[in-house]
């Protein structure tokens, strides 16, 4: 059941919000939503060690898989809006279950979440809709995959079809390395996500993340952001969930962003509608800016992390109502989302051993005074019974700061990071170097 309010003239009251997830993304969403006009309470579940640090935010320990407990919480707390952060519960149908029980949910149903949960499904949709993307080949066994490489005689990008927590892609440089990546994938390197593969033509160019809030028909675009996926400075080392980000990324001008909307995002919504999918959530398009224009590298069905942390401080107090309007399928009833004009910088502090084998349990001390233009968002943290804070995940926390330009924003973020300590703290000192003068 999807409740639509398109016949009404105003949105229902919005005071209480439940955010599902435990990362820095959800910490920043809760922080931003609790500051919105009229919001009295934001619960985050299962949350993390930093949830209760934000005004009017309360952590609940319910996991995203505990559907009955989530429903009971929504009912007993009279939650007006549920915002689902991560892809796994969306792909598993959490939004469907909550909607079926009458809840108002920001986040697509499982059918829409296939944009991220099946690369093959997403590529097929892109192709049907004529949206610019890399050429691709669906393959379901090693023989078939190796035949494609033999025929094309070029290196190809090798991707697991299913969700693989950002670890389901190999970008080999040679034909031999492509074959090896295919063999490894079919031997189980990508786990269950890699029993079907997508082989892709390799594109070149800078990457950018574009986020659109969607009510099933219409879109609100957020400032484009740039992520830093590699662990080490100079974009070296293993891929991670993201070690830092900044927004608005100057790689796309306002006009170019509108072109992305026209050529990529609007046709995506139309293609979803044609499949009978009313997509109410974030469409996150990972784009590569190639010589022949922007092309879709991947879609995700949720906010990027850390991009979300960077973006939240730039968004105005209308955000909660905009998400609510998306959830109701009637963006036309929402106030316009105001966007601050400054620059926002995010630097992630990870645990030692991240991403392969992060060490947990180190005491975290924070001397930072957060304020108007500097925030601390927590991710892999937990508190013990005495309230002491410990590391409990790979990406531990982020400092996000804003300034009139990127130099100011990053200087503030790095100064803030010096006031946070834990053994093994690992972060890149070159986040945003592309946009800094000094
Ligand atoms: P994905 O999980 O699909 O975003 O892929 C992870 C990373 O692999 C991307 O951020 C790109 O850096 C790289 N990648 C994915 N697809 C391609 C492609 N077709 N050409 C070049 N690089 C790619
Ligand atoms: N920062 C990349 C992602 O969230 O997938």
């Amino acid at each position: 059941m999807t409740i639509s309010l398109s016949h009404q003239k105003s949105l229902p009251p919005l005071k209480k919000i439940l955010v599902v997830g435990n990362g820095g993304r959800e910490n920043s969403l809760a922080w931003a939503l609790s500051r919105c006009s009229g919001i009295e309470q934001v619960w985050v579940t299962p949350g993390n060690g930093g949830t209760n640090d934000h005004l009017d935010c309360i952590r609940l320990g319910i996991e995203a898989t505990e559907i009955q407990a989530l429903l009971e919480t929504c009912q007993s707390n009279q939650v007006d809006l549920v915002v689902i952060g991560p892809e796994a519960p969306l792909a598993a149908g959490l939004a469907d279950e909550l909607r079926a029980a009458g809840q108002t949910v920001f986040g697509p149903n499982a059918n829409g979440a296939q944009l991220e949960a099946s690369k093959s499904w997403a590529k097929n949709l892109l192709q049907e809709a004529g949206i610019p993307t890399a050429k691709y080949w669906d393959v379901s066994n090693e023989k078939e995959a190796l035949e494609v490489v033999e025929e094309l005689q070029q290196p190809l990008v090798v991707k697991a079809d299913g969700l693989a927590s950002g670890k389901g892609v190999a970008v080999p440089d040679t034909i031999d390395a492509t074959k090896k990546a295919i063999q490894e994938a079919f031997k189980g390197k990508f786990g269950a996500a890699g029993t079907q593969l997508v082989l892709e033509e390799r594109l070149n160019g800078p990457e950018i993340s574009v986020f659109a809030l969607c009510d099933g028909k219409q879109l609100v675009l957020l400032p484009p952001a740039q992520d830093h996926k590699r662990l080490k400075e100079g974009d070296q080392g293993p891929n991670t969930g993201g070690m830092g980000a900044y927004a608005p990324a100057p790689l796309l001008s306002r006009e170019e962003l509108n072109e992305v909307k026209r050529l990529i995002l609007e046709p995506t919504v139309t293609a979803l509608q044609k499949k009978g999918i009313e997509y109410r959530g974030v469409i996150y398009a990972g784009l590569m800016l190639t010589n022949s224009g922007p092309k879709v590298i991947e879609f995700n069905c949720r906010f990027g992390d850390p991009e979300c942390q960077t973006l939240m401080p730039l968004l105005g107090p209308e955000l909660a109502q905009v998400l609510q309007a998306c959830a109701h399928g009637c963006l036309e009833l929402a106030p316009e989302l105001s966007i601050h004009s400054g620059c926002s910088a995010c630097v992630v502090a990870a645990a030692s051993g991240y991403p392969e084998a992060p060490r947990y349990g180190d005491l975290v001390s924070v001397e930072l005074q957060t304020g108007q233009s500097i925030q601390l968002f927590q991710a892999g943290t937990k508190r013990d019974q005495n309230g002491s804070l410990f590391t409990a995940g790979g990406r531990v926390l982020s400092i996000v700061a804003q300034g009139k330009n990127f130099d100011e924003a990053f200087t503030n973020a790095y100064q803030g990071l010096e006031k946070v300590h834990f053994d093994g703290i690992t972060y890149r000192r070159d986040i945003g170097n592309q946009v800094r003068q000094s």
Side-chain angles (χ1 to χ4, degrees):
M1 179 174 62
T2 315
I3 303 164
S4 196
L5 287 184
S6 42
H7 56 287
Q8 298 204 3
K9 291 210 171 57
S10 64
L11 291 165
L14 174 60
K15 293 182 181 158
K16 297 177 179 179
I17 302 178
L18 176 69
V19 175
V20 178
N22 66 354
R25 168 180 49 213
E26 290 77 24
N27 201 234
S28 67
L29 272 167
W31 171 85
L33 291 171
S34 68
R35 294 155 60 95
C36 288
S37 330
I39 302 304
E40 292 173 0
Q41 187 76 71
V42 179
W43 290 274
V44 187
T45 197
N48 60 40
T51 304
N52 293 358
D53 292 1
H54 299 316
L55 193 69
D56 300 325
C57 294
I58 296 180
R59 174 173 180 261
L60 302 171
I62 309 164
E63 297 292 333
T65 46
E66 296 177 76
I67 293 171
Q68 199 48 41
L70 287 175
L71 271 174
E72 280 164 20
T73 287
C74 290
Q75 280 152 9
S76 60
N77 290 313
Q78 297 177 308
V79 165
D80 301 308
L81 173 68
V82 183
V83 178
I84 303 175
E87 64 277 16
L90 292 166
L94 178 60
D96 306 60
E97 299 264 6
L98 296 177
R99 286 192 175 108
Q103 296 300 319
T104 302
V105 183
F106 180 80
N109 281 344
N111 56 10
Q114 289 178 95
L115 267 192
E116 175 166 4
S118 170
K119 295 213 186 258
S120 157
W121 189 87
K123 290 296 280 189
N124 191 30
L125 178 134
L126 285 162
Q127 197 177 46
E128 276 174 15
I131 298 168
T133 189
K135 288 203 195 88
Y136 77 106
W137 297 263
D138 278 323
V139 289
S140 50
N141 59 61
E142 189 177 313
K143 181 167 171 285
E144 209 183 329
L146 293 176
E147 277 169 11
V148 174
V149 184
E150 281 302 333
E151 194 182 317
L152 295 167
Q153 285 300 311
Q154 66 187 61
L156 295 172
V157 178
V158 178
K159 296 188 175 183
D161 177 54
L163 289 180
S165 308
K167 296 185 185 105
V169 178
V171 189
D173 291 319
T174 63
I175 294 175
D176 279 348
T178 307
K179 290 181 184 168
K180 192 159 166 250
I182 289 170
Q183 283 156 348
E184 283 175 356
F186 283 116
K187 283 202 185 89
K189 188 175 179 199
F190 300 147
T195 51
Q196 293 276 332
L197 300 183
V198 172
L199 304 180
E200 269 184 33
E201 162 202 24
R202 184 166 175 175
L203 303 176
N204 281 306
E207 289 179 54
I208 194 161
S209 307
V210 175
F211 299 93
L213 309 177
C214 182
D215 72 348
K217 310 175 286 291
Q218 306 163 82
L219 296 161
V220 172
L221 256 61
L222 304 185
Q226 231 180 346
D227 183 15
H228 294 62
K229 287 206 167 99
R230 299 294 196 97
L231 179 70
K232 297 202 170 143
E233 282 155 31
D235 291 328
Q236 303 294 312
N239 256 328
T240 70
M243 294 300 290
Y246 59 85
L251 272 172
L252 276 183
S253 65
R254 184 176 285 268
E255 292 70 39
E256 286 165 330
L257 190 60
N258 282 333
E259 276 294 281
V260 167
K261 186 176 185 190
R262 194 175 64 78
L263 290 175
I264 292 174
L265 293 162
E266 286 173 348
T268 301
V269 178
T270 308
L272 287 166
Q273 280 178 312
K274 273 200 194 140
K275 291 186 187 293
I277 297 173
E278 201 170 2
Y279 190 104
R280 298 180 179 182
V282 181
I283 301 179
Y284 159 178
L287 306 180
M288 198 167 261
L289 305 179
T290 73
N291 286 338
S292 47
K295 295 193 178 177
V296 177
I297 288 281
E298 64 163 346
F299 278 129
N300 294 307
C301 62
R302 37 109 195 148
F303 283 108
D305 194 4
E307 294 96 317
C308 181
Q309 302 182 47
T310 317
L311 284 169
M312 284 303 130
L314 292 178
L315 307 183
E318 311 83 8
L319 178 67
Q321 276 185 294
V322 173
L323 300 193
Q324 182 199 27
C326 287
H328 279 296
C330 53
L331 256 176
E332 66 281 2
L333 298 183
E336 189 174 344
L337 181 62
S338 53
I339 298 189
H340 301 307
S341 58
C343 294
S344 187
C346 168
V347 184
V348 172
S352 79
Y354 177 72
E356 283 94 5
R359 189 178 74 201
Y360 300 162
D362 288 307
L363 185 67
V364 181
S365 72
V366 177
E367 290 149 29
L368 174 74
Q369 205 57 42
T370 54
Q372 185 77 4
S373 55
I374 185 156
Q375 303 83 35
L376 170 81
F377 294 131
Q378 294 188 29
T381 61
K382 70 172 183 205
R383 287 193 189 274
D384 70 4
Q385 283 153 337
N386 305 322
S388 300
L389 192 65
F390 291 91
T391 62
R395 288 187 291 175
V396 176
L397 51 83
S398 309
I399 302 294
V400 182
Q402 296 76 48
K404 58 182 179 307
N405 53 41
F406 283 114
D407 280 337
E408 192 177 290
F410 275 104
T411 301
N412 291 343
Y414 279 108
Q415 279 174 358
L417 209 44
E418 279 167 23
K419 301 195 175 111
V420 174
H421 309 278
F422 57 88
D423 272 357
I425 187 168
T426 305
Y427 59 88
R428 282 179 57 165
R429 285 163 209 280
D430 67 344
I431 303 295
N433 269 4
Q434 308 90 315
V435 288
R436 288 153 73 185
Q437 315 290 324
S438 56

